[in-house]
Amino acid sequence: MTQSQALNILKTGANVFLTGEPGAGKTHTINNFVNYLRACEVEPAITASTGIAATHIGGMTIHSWSGIGIKTKLDKYDLDKIASSEYISKRVRRTRVLIIDEISMLSTNMLEMVDMVCREIKQSNEPFGGIQIILVGDFFQLPPIMKKEDAEMKEKQNSLMAKAGLPSKDNRFAYHAGAWERARPVVCYLTEQYRQDDADFLSVLSGIRANSVSPAHRNHITARHIRTNKAPEKITKLFSHN
């Protein structure tokens, strides 16, 4: 799908999951959509799953926007407290379009809680209280961050299921949430590539991304290998730590 096709779908008011490989223009498409909304005098809520991602798009974290903060679950008292906050309530009530970037890093539970808050404040049973939801990201990239004890528990459960001959379950991603299913987002998969124009290199990147590296990909990488003692001067160096 092209960026213009995705933009036309966004303009219909449908809930959308905008995805595609790195360099396909997800952010560019969203920026064009935001400009369109503002021209129509609609100010969207621009959020992301992490603070760093939020700064990249000039927004705030979905945790802050929704008033959920660091909570991992919401009971009736928590929900009432958030809904009674004039600041949060006013912000959610006036929102007609909610954009959540880096959706791959948002947990199932968090998306469910955002849905709860929106429905409570909007006093509507529609998904997210009737707000148009735009979910942006790539599930081939970073997954939700799990606490060490939760990750260990999940690993034990999967190990037990494997011993019993049962398939393991990985339901941590946002698309496992009931709220995602109820919202029924239109999947807009961007297929154009703007970041790279080297076909061989793109093929290698796509192979790594989809876990389908071929012998041709390996040969291409091997051909680029230069031993340390023969490295050019002033070559760029990459470090895994600061």
Side-chain angles (χ1 to χ4, degrees):
M1 178 181 292
T2 65
Q3 292 181 15
S4 59
Q5 288 172 326
L7 185 58
N8 287 336
I9 293 173
L10 288 165
K11 289 178 180 179
T12 66
N15 295 329
V16 168
F17 168 42
L18 182 66
T19 188
E21 296 188 15
K26 296 185 290 294
T27 300
H28 182 73
T29 302
I30 287 300
N31 287 339
N32 285 340
F33 181 53
V34 168
N35 291 337
Y36 163 79
L37 290 172
R38 287 173 176 163
C40 297
E41 299 185 348
V42 174
E43 183 59 36
I46 304 173
T47 71
S49 57
T50 68
I52 292 176
T55 60
H56 289 167
I57 59 173
M60 64 175 71
T61 64
I62 186 63
H63 309 71
S64 176
W65 179 88
S66 62
I68 295 169
I70 62 173
K71 291 182 177 65
T72 56
K73 62 179 180 179
L74 293 178
D75 56 26
K76 191 177 185 307
Y77 172 78
D78 294 325
L79 203 54
D80 288 343
K81 187 175 180 180
I82 292 172
S84 63
S85 166
E86 184 178 351
Y87 187 68
I88 301 297
S89 182
K90 183 179 179 181
R91 180 161 63 203
V92 174
R93 273 201 306 268
R94 71 186 180 200
T95 297
R96 292 166 57 185
V97 181
L98 172 61
I99 298 168
I100 308 178
D101 197 14
E102 296 294 355
I103 190 64
S104 70
M105 296 184 70
L106 199 71
S107 68
T108 304
N109 192 43
M110 187 63 199
L111 191 65
E112 293 282 21
M113 291 192 291
V114 172
D115 174 54
M116 290 170 62
V117 168
C118 291
R119 285 189 288 110
E120 178 67 22
I121 293 177
K122 290 275 195 176
Q123 288 294 291
S124 169
N125 287 325
E126 291 186 67
F128 298 93
I131 297 173
Q132 181 187 8
I133 303 296
I134 312 300
L135 308 169
V136 187
D138 177 11
F139 284 104
F140 280 89
Q141 296 186 39
L142 293 172
I145 297 171
M146 295 179 69
K147 291 183 178 179
K148 185 178 179 181
E149 54 268 31
D150 292 338
E152 289 175 348
M153 179 65 72
K154 177 72 71 176
E155 191 174 337
K156 287 180 181 178
Q157 290 175 344
N158 288 339
S159 178
L160 290 172
M161 293 182 75
K163 289 179 180 178
L166 299 172
S168 61
K169 290 185 177 180
D170 188 356
N171 57 359
R172 57 184 165 156
F173 293 102
Y175 57 77
H176 289 116
W180 181 295
E181 185 176 347
R182 291 189 296 274
R184 302 181 67 180
V186 177
V187 178
C188 293
Y189 194 106
L190 300 178
T191 54
E192 296 174 311
Q193 180 57 240
Y194 294 92
R195 194 172 296 170
Q196 300 287 344
D197 56 9
D198 184 328
D200 291 333
F201 184 47
L202 276 173
S203 179
V204 171
L205 292 178
S206 296
I208 293 172
R209 178 177 182 271
N211 194 26
S212 59
V213 177
S214 69
H217 293 145
R218 296 180 187 277
N219 291 337
H220 186 72
I221 294 172
T222 303
R224 303 285 297 178
H225 179 231
I226 300 174
R227 302 206 173 273
T228 305
N229 60 348
K230 294 183 179 180
E233 292 184 15
K234 298 182 179 179
I235 193 169
T236 301
K237 296 180 181 179
L238 303 180
F239 296 90
S240 61
H241 297 75
N242 291 341

